Amino acid sequence: MVLCIGPESSGKTLLLKKIQDPNYVDNTTTAIPTVGTNILNLKIEDKIYTIREIGGSLASIWSKYFENVGKVMYVIDASNLCQISAAGVLLYTVVAHPLLKNARFLIVLTKMDSSYRQMRNEALLMLQMKRLQREIQQKITIIEASAINGLGRNDILKWIVES
Ligand SMILES: Nc1nc2c(ncn2[C@@H]2O[C@H](COP(=O)(O)OP(=O)(O)O)[C@@H](O)[C@H]2O)c(=O)[nH]1
Ligand SMILES: [Mg+2]
């Protein structure tokens, strides 16, 4: 099971839709934040991968879903300067959770199509990624993405498939 988490409105739902269907174009005028969880089944080369998205408003109870999670996809809005540091603090608590000590982590810096995006290095600095990687033993992969133009889609699929 892959868990997809991250702050509210960081772009999880749209990204997952884009991953499921590369031709997906979002026509909704109002985004409805995910309340509760969304389950998505991805078929990649005849294998089914289950992804569970949990809304950012449920951050306090994310850990209820950590059982049997092998991979965590942590989605951060790279265009939202105010959110990045807070997202990093939240990420620390997730990575430190005992149930996830053997999990693989993917940090998705999304909305990279936005002109307000933070450059990768600045975002990683704000997330204190160097320090985090020093302190933990889990493997962290970082991918830049966009649900609008499909950037990062192939790399994310590869990460989901690789064991
Ligand atoms: N420019 C841009 N906007 C995005 C992107 N992904 C999501 N959004 C917008 O960000 C808002 C929140 O997206 P959503 O997927 O619902 O976030 P969630 O709460 O993490 O599931 C919506 O208004 C989306 O249209 C992206 O890659 N680029
Ligand atoms: Mg959502």
Side-chain angles (χ1 to χ4, degrees), residues 7 9-14 26 31 34 53 110-111 113 146-148:
S9 292
S10 63
K12 299 176 291 299
T13 302
L14 202 57
D26 187 38
T34 304
E53 176 194 347
T110 193
K111 308 196 192 179
D113 59 280
S146 163
I148 305 295

Side-chain angles (χ1 to χ4, degrees), residues 121-135:
N121 285 341
E122 292 163 10
L124 297 182
L125 207 62
M126 293 176 84
L127 291 167
Q128 302 210 41
M129 196 49 63
K130 281 231 171 76
R131 196 178 136 199
L132 183 65
Q133 278 174 323
R134 260 203 317 271
E135 288 175 6

